[in-house]
Amino acid sequence: MSECHLMRESMPLLLTESLDRDRRELTHQHIESCAACGDEWAAYRDSWAIMGDLAEVEVPARVKQRFLEAAGIAAGAPLEQRRSNVVPFYRRTSAKWLAQAAGVVIIAGGAYFAGNQTGALRVDPTPATIANVQQMPYSIAETRVLPASQISPQIEGRPDIQNVQFLDHEGDKIGLSFDVTSRVTVTGSPSDRSMVRLLSYVLENNKGLSASPSRAIEWVKETYSDPQFADPEIASALAKVMRSDQHEGVRIRAAESLKTMPAPVAGDTREALIDALKNDPNPAVRIKAVEALANLARSGEALDPATIDTLRAKSVQSDENLYVRAKAAEALSNIKLQ
Amino acid sequence: MKHLSDQELMAVVQGGDYSPASEIYDRYSARIYNFAFRFLKNAEAAEDAVQEVFVKMLRHANQFHGDAKLSTWLFSITANWCRDYLRKADNKAKESDDVLVTLPAPNELSPERNLEMRENEVRVRKALEALTPEQREAILLSRYQGLSYAEIAQIAGCSEGAVKTRVFRAMETLKKALTGRDSGGDRCLNAIS
Ligand SMILES: [Zn+2]
């Protein structure tokens, strides 16, 4: 078998970055010195890129239902989340946050609940600020809409939020619907602190989303990539997803969204991007991360020495994806030194 | 459950408790469905594949060894099921050109790029259909699922060398279909071999 043939057999492995260092070097050397194999390599890379345009298809929801039924598990929810007519028990922390939220509504909205509600919502009558609303017995009977401006941005504990749905924009408002003790919908401006906090919480905890996490990220990106709503806290939540989600598709989506977030971003977001660039096993995540850093550099945001060091190291790392190297170099050339 | 590893979830299942089923499904169903759909070119069959694979995962949980990767094991079951499906001659006629809900393209893309993506998508689908089932299986697992040749060999029940050849031949076909370029290096190949 000819040397060229051997090299060409290695090209798919070169594309998936799964050649060992020596073989990779050897193949690259050959590609650089053999014009025919150079052409061949270019065609390989083009094909590989075009293949990336094959869209992922979505699994219809009925498939999961059918499986869970077959497995003897109630459709729609894993065992531990099954609901019944019995009022479910929630952790105290969750109760406290909702009670607090409700408390603030009472305070801020006056008769908002009292007028709409037959249930026994009892609130400490003492005039209260957010800080001293105490846990209290409550019961909320049905779905209600809470304006974000009237709930506390302080989410206490880790409330058990389930069946989260993202609602379409209505005018300048966005909305988030979920079950806490009953169905609650919070609506408000994207810049509302409580809305931001709630979205960050849902993203970071990947909690009971009724859509896939990727969809949730997409929804958040759509709103917050608009410079008027740029929010470091949202970026930071996305960064946490990119750091910790075990699904590479979700990490890619998070990194992709960070790429569209307008500067400035908080320090921990930048650190997460650097970590992803350095350590994420998936080249697509590293690519999005370096693109995000390049965008930050281009937007004139000053990058700290650690970021610059990482970019420098990446731009010359011989076993790194060529595109990542090129982007790292591009970011370096745009950097405004601190 | 979200914080538990695949191995830990499977250990629970092996103990007879199916409650992690939903979580495991969420982790792998999209990958399995996409693989089966692209392999079989039939959405209905892909749904059946997902169903069968996860039911089998529960029933035969004890065949899973904790030191293996769950993804490799699940893809082995999936690929087996798909190969069986194709073997049944009457199923071949049912290959359909299903139009499915595809995940939306990122909307910061220009209309030109969107159009290009859609066109490429059709070309890639056609090109994949031109491959032999073995080649298609290998390329789907390698290109779209990011599996190593060693894992693919395990799934396909062949040697790593055979996987390498299948991927190579698949890429030759795809390259020609997608870029119009045949092995441009025949000169060089002939000169040496
Ligand atoms: Zn050559």
Side-chain angles (χ1 to χ4, degrees), chain B residues 61-110:
Chain B
N62 289 325
Q63 290 172 12
F64 174 71
H65 302 291
D67 49 353
K69 270 168 91 174
L70 183 58
S71 55
T72 312
W73 190 58
L74 291 177
F75 274 119
S76 296
I77 303 175
T78 312
N80 265 327
W81 191 91
C82 292
R83 284 191 295 260
D84 274 350
Y85 178 90
L86 287 183
R87 226 170 276 140
K88 293 171 199 153
D90 57 327
N91 283 329
K92 285 199 179 130
K94 280 203 277 179
E95 287 178 2
S96 61
D97 227 352
D98 296 287
V99 180
L100 288 193
V101 184
T102 54
L103 297 173
N107 56 359
E108 76 264 21
L109 291 181
S110 65

Side-chain angles (χ1 to χ4, degrees), chain A residues 2-5 8-10 12-13 15-16 23 34-37 39-40 42-44 46-60 62-64 66-68 70-71 73 77-80 205-206 215 218 221-222 246-248 253 256 259-260, chain B residues 1-2 17-19 21-22 25-27 29-30 33-34 37-38 47-48 50-51 54-55 58 100-104 106-108 113 117 120-121 124 128 139 142-144 149 164-165 167-168 171-172 174-175 178-179 181-185 187-189 192-193:
Chain A
S2 72
E3 189 188 355
C4 288
H5 186 85
R8 287 172 196 188
E9 266 198 344
S10 298
L13 285 161
L15 289 165
T16 50
R23 300 259 311 286
C34 169
C37 285
D39 286 351
E40 194 69 1
Y44 260 98
D46 290 350
S47 309
W48 201 253
I50 294 171
M51 286 164 76
D53 284 347
L54 187 70
E56 217 179 290
V57 289
E58 207 173 358
V59 197
R62 61 175 174 271
V63 183
K64 181 172 185 178
R66 188 175 144 205
F67 161 60
L68 291 180
I73 299 171
L79 273 180
E80 74 279 8
N205 295 286
N206 201 345
R215 279 289 172 83
E218 201 62 32
K221 183 181 90 176
E222 255 169 45
Q246 54 182 317
H247 299 277
E248 52 191 25
R253 201 61 71 111
E256 164 93 29
K259 207 178 90 185
T260 66
Chain B
M1 294 249 165
K2 291 207 187 297
D17 176 357
Y18 286 175
S19 52
S22 173
Y25 178 94
D26 289 344
R27 290 186 192 180
S29 56
Y33 182 74
N34 272 272
F37 176 61
R38 297 300 176 195
E47 287 187 23
D48 290 344
V50 172
Q51 165 82 0
F54 283 105
V55 166
L58 295 179
L100 288 193
V101 184
T102 54
L103 297 173
N107 56 359
E108 76 264 21
R113 173 67 185 126
M117 269 179 82
N120 283 346
E121 157 118 44
V124 174
L128 285 173
I139 205 80
S142 166
R143 173 65 176 88
Y144 296 102
Y149 285 12
K164 195 171 171 181
T165 307
V167 171
F168 173 65
M171 282 305 293
E172 289 292 302
L174 291 164
K175 183 159 57 70
L178 299 175
T179 66
R181 275 178 281 186
D182 213 340
S183 278
R187 290 169 283 151
C188 177
L189 276 172
I192 301 174
S193 57

Side-chain angles (χ1 to χ4, degrees), chain A residues 28-268:
Chain A
H28 273 305
Q29 275 170 14
H30 180 92
I31 288 168
E32 273 159 36
S33 63
C34 169
C37 285
D39 286 351
E40 194 69 1
W41 174 233
Y44 260 98
R45 276 193 313 191
D46 290 350
S47 309
W48 201 253
I50 294 171
M51 286 164 76
D53 284 347
L54 187 70
E56 217 179 290
V57 289
E58 207 173 358
V59 197
R62 61 175 174 271
V63 183
K64 181 172 185 178
Q65 230 156 12
R66 188 175 144 205
F67 161 60
L68 291 180
E69 273 160 24
I73 299 171
L79 273 180
E80 74 279 8
Q81 289 171 13
R82 261 192 259 167
R83 279 155 208 288
S84 63
N85 292 328
V86 181
V87 176
F89 172 74
Y90 288 91
R91 285 193 297 273
R92 281 170 65 92
T93 48
S94 130
K96 188 167 176 187
W97 173 61
L98 190 79
Q100 193 187 52
V104 176
V105 172
I106 295 289
I107 294 150
Y112 182 84
F113 269 134
N116 288 296
Q117 163 107 18
T118 49
L121 181 80
R122 281 177 278 133
V123 181
D124 189 336
T126 320
T129 62
I130 291 170
N132 66 14
V133 174
Q134 297 301 308
Q135 186 185 354
M136 57 205 72
Y138 65 92
S139 125
I140 294 175
E142 64 227 2
T143 304
R144 51 193 55 265
V145 178
L146 303 177
S149 57
Q150 295 185 5
I151 64 166
S152 162
Q154 219 53 56
I155 299 178
E156 291 216 353
R158 298 170 56 80
D160 196 6
I161 291 180
Q162 292 298 333
N163 297 322
V164 179
Q165 264 184 327
F166 298 89
L167 309 179
D168 287 340
H169 287 232
E170 229 172 70
D172 56 351
K173 282 193 175 156
I174 55 174
L176 197 62
S177 235
F178 51 88
D179 296 339
V180 185
T181 51
S182 65
R183 193 86 185 149
V184 174
T185 299
V186 175
T187 62
S189 154
S191 56
D192 252 315
R193 260 4 270 164
S194 299
M195 185 58 85
V196 167
R197 202 58 57 80
L198 196 54
L199 285 172
S200 306
Y201 178 77
V202 166
L203 280 179
E204 284 172 22
N205 295 286
N206 201 345
K207 296 285 289 182
L209 297 170
S210 60
S212 72
S214 294
R215 279 289 172 83
I217 292 168
E218 201 62 32
W219 187 90
V220 167
K221 183 181 90 176
E222 255 169 45
T223 304
Y224 289 92
S225 56
D226 182 340
Q228 66 165 317
F229 297 127
D231 196 295
E233 195 174 337
I234 293 287
S236 161
L238 288 168
K240 284 197 185 108
V241 173
M242 181 183 66
R243 245 187 222 284
S244 57
D245 202 285
Q246 54 182 317
H247 299 277
E248 52 191 25
V250 175
R251 296 203 307 278
I252 292 170
R253 201 61 71 111
E256 164 93 29
S257 302
L258 280 172
K259 207 178 90 185
T260 66
M261 292 290 138
V265 299
D268 60 343

